Amino acid sequence: MTSTYPSHREADVALRDGSTIRVRPVRPEDRDAVLAFLGGLSVESLWLRFFSGAANVERAAAWIVEVDYRDRYGLVATTGDRIVGHGAYQRTDDARAEIAFAVADEMQGKGLGTILLGHLAEVAESNGIRTFEAEVLPENHKMVEVFRESGFPVRLSSKPGTICVEFPASLSSEALERFEGRERTAAGAALKAFLFPTSVAVIGASRSRGTIGGEVFHNLLVAGFNGPVYPVNPKAEVVQSVAAYHSINDVPGPVDMAVIAVPAGAVVDVAEDCARKGVRSLVVISAGFSETGTDGLRRQRRLLSVCRSSGMRLIGPNCMGIINTSPAVMLNATFAPLFPPNGRVGFLSQSGALGLAVIDYASQLGLGLSSFVSVGNKADISGNDLIQYWADDDETDLILLYLESFGNPRKFARIARQVAKTKPIIAVKSGRSAAGARATGSHTGALIAASDVTVDALFKQTGVIRTDVLSELFDVASLLANQPPPKGRRVGIITNAGGPGILCADACEANGLEVAELSEEVRTQLASFLPAEASTANPVDMIASASADDYRSAILALAASDGIDAIVVIFIPPLVTEAEDVARAIREAVSNLPKEVPLLTVFMAAHGVPDALRGVVRIPSYSFPEDAARALARVVDYGIWRDAPKGTVPNFEVRADEAAGLIAQAFAEDQSWLAPEQVARLFDCYGLPFARWRLAGTPEEAGEFAESMGPIALKAVSPNLVHKTEVGAVRLQLSGREAVTTAAREMEERVGRMGHDVDGFVIQEMVPGGVEMLVGVVHDPSFGPVVACGSGGVAVELLKDVEVRITPLTDEDAKEMVRSLATYPLLEGYRGSAAADVGALENLLLRVSTMVENHPEIAEMDCNPVKVLPEGSIVVDARVRLEVVEPGPPLAARTRL
């Protein structure tokens, strides 16, 4: 009965307690393992599953592995070679299937049944099953609760001796939200095992300071970790005055976490020892894994396999360790020379060496950390896990990330968008420059390949504040850690020197802030205590003689104004006024502000934050005005994003099955670029308006068709031709048989001379007026479909006025895309022209997003131009390229580690 094994359905997932398990389709060769699983179930579990405590488990095992992966489908959950859970469905008619589950007794209560149900539902829906049904014994409350808690709308009915359960197989939005909530719980449990261990072993602890193993062990002792620390060294009896153990299995009592600092070749054996000891979490500092090439990658896979088999979680390898500054823990499992002060900032670094600098710099700025994690190669624990942990951590208000790569950017987008609404996320992502342009065959591909605009789009959609360099990351963090985000973009500047004030004003304007005009009332108040030579305009230049009292009074005056959202205070040391006096005056003013107004200071020629700005009232300080302006601009943008509506992904009525059939037929005919008639049919399935057209095979047929169409555009059909106008493959405003036939012959000859085959001609009605726009898609191998919207027409790559977002688009994403364009004023009606139907363009973007989400085979798509008219919008020209992709289930994409 077995058909092709669906390997893409395999996934490693986290359970409620943070441990991991592998979920995969059952295979015929699993029979013995299934038999062992069933034989290990308690009498009660067998009764609840088979309605008999003496079930024929051999016959049941044979039935379980007899699958065709369509009408009969089974999943198993495994740890190592051992099966600990099973879920299956069997189709009962065209759209219904009966389901059943069994979970090993020791694994019950960890959310495994829910995971199996979710993955099974995703498979069933893809196989055309719409409804699940099950018969449950009345005492099997746990199973009924699994169905209910999974978010499916359950309907119950009773029969003699059984409860009948029925619910839709499709994953509703509520079900997906609950799966996301469980995933967040699992991530939190996994990280707590690292950041709140009750005991730690350092394997590779050295007697010598200056070695990694020696420094990690020393730091754990010096920080005052609130638990036992065990040095493990097979060649030493004592390590730094502490009795050592030759193996972790020699350590008396349990070990929660092991830090491994041994040569790479020994790490896997050490990890196996840790698994036998029952260690919950490993921090592998050792290098020599995937970062070194093929052999290292194999070694890393073996290490991860050991962890997966035992349920251990892993940070690293090739990392510098982890820190928890909580007074209840005091964990410093790194080789960093400094232990940062306790604070409310969580920091993730993908670079170990950079982590050393981060800790040092944060300490200098007085920016306290709640926890620090160097993830290294991210073989298991990733940035996504840490963001979810910090989201629920009461000790963390601000999240900082240094990223070199994304493991699962679509999962990152989903998580970050939720978390950033309550806790700011600031990131430095290295690799802005393009290593090389992708070979693309569309305008959209050329625009997106020019830089890492996909990363920018990801951060912009999710509210993540992106900074270009680490120093700017700390500039923004200092502001958000100490001041609230401003309510708007209007900035007031106070200075005792004209030059720095002008520099600050220029930087504010360049970064999208507004240097607001001060009201006459505020200017009069300033003039009452400032000398006549001072300027009461904005920037307020109090001149070099300004005293500390002048600073205090000026701050209070601007803060009381309704026209100011944030204040930048600049001090450059003159001969008379002391920096500390000004700092104290600023602190006093901030303590007495009439309303909440964020305030930044710039103490030029000073290093670090003046002591007077520290304490209960913390005020960020910068060395230069431009630094303060840039940080403020980033925070203002974040505040606007945070307060904006969340947005929804619309649900259109479309003909997705018909579109899928069209794409499958194109693959069967070995097509990569769709023909014009196929593009039109595909667009019609998704309600994308296309200008009226006809396809002619010859110049004579083109002329014949043109007779009944009025003024037309003539376009050569040539699949590999992107820039048609450059080779004369487009003629506009043609009328009549003779003119069109002649133009088509000339076009065929000219395009042929340039090395392109002409397969036919599109005769399309002219669409008068409107604003020409581009709407396109590129399918990024990591980020998925990327939608672009920008100025269209022949100059699209010259203007490069384009906004990019990652699907699925919300209605708010579409609005922001269009309104962020430099050419947006053209759509509003520029210099007397009619306003265009912006809503129609937004609707088109959302429909395109739906289409490419449903059909990942669409590798590239250009709609250029799209004419946005006073009423409606219409696609005038379009190209679509297909590419076979490996299937992958949406739920596994969400829950896969």
Side-chain angles (χ1 to χ4, degrees), residues 298-423:
R298 278 197 291 266
R299 187 179 297 119
Q300 182 167 305
R301 286 173 176 165
R302 287 175 57 209
L303 170 62
L304 185 60
S305 177
V306 170
C307 293
R308 290 283 185 262
S309 298
S310 61
M312 286 188 300
R313 301 306 300 269
L314 167 68
I315 287 178
N318 186 34
C319 71
M320 67 165 284
I322 63 176
I323 289 174
N324 184 355
T325 65
S326 168
V329 182
M330 300 300 287
L331 174 74
N332 184 4
T334 74
F335 51 89
L338 293 173
F339 188 61
N342 177 249
R344 305 192 64 79
V345 177
F347 199 112
L348 173 150
S349 177
Q350 199 170 336
S351 164
L354 196 64
L356 296 171
V358 162
I359 293 172
D360 183 32
Y361 197 50
S363 299
Q364 289 181 33
L365 291 176
L367 191 66
L369 302 183
S370 59
S371 49
F372 167 89
V373 178
S374 167
V375 292
N377 294 357
K378 300 190 299 184
D380 179 17
I381 294 294
S382 69
N384 292 337
D385 297 309
L386 280 157
I387 292 170
Q388 291 185 102
Y389 165 74
W390 281 321
D392 295 327
D393 179 27
D394 293 336
E395 302 301 313
T396 301
D397 295 331
L398 180 62
I399 299 169
L400 308 186
L401 310 174
Y402 173 78
L403 302 172
E404 294 175 351
S405 64
F406 287 103
N408 189 338
R410 288 173 72 79
K411 186 174 179 180
F412 175 92
R414 174 173 53 83
I415 294 168
R417 191 193 289 262
Q418 294 174 344
V419 175
K421 283 290 184 181
T422 55
K423 295 187 179 182

Side-chain angles (χ1 to χ4, degrees), residues 63 80 130 373 383 388 525 559 564 579 609 633 716 782 846 891:
W63 180 89
R130 300 289 176 259
V373 178
Q388 291 185 102
Q525 186 176 353
I564 296 296
V609 181
S782 297
L846 293 168
L891 183 65

Side-chain angles (χ1 to χ4, degrees), residues 440 442-451 453 774 788 796-797 800-802:
T440 58
S442 66
H443 297 293
T444 307
L447 289 167
I448 291 176
S451 69
V453 293
L774 162 79
V796 57
E797 289 174 35
K800 293 182 179 178
D801 179 27
V802 64

Side-chain angles (χ1 to χ4, degrees), residues 96 194 211 291 353 384 623 670 770 779 822 828:
R96 300 176 74 87
F194 286 99
T211 63
E291 79 281 3
N384 292 337
S623 298
D670 201 26
H779 193 102
E828 289 187 301

Side-chain angles (χ1 to χ4, degrees), residues 69-71 73 89 91 94 122-129:
Y69 301 121
R70 180 171 175 81
D71 296 331
Y73 194 100
Y89 75 72
R91 193 188 297 266
D94 285 347
E122 195 281 329
V123 174
E125 186 177 21
S126 71
N127 286 334
I129 292 170

Side-chain angles (χ1 to χ4, degrees), residues 183-198:
E183 179 188 349
R184 192 153 149 175
T185 299
L191 266 300
K192 284 179 181 176
F194 286 99
L195 295 172
F196 292 86
T198 58

Side-chain angles (χ1 to χ4, degrees), residues 491 493 499-509 515 539 568 570 602 625-626 628-629:
V491 182
I493 302 170
I502 294 170
L503 288 173
C504 187
D506 289 346
C508 285
E509 296 282 359
V515 181
V568 180
I570 303 170
V602 177
E626 300 92 333

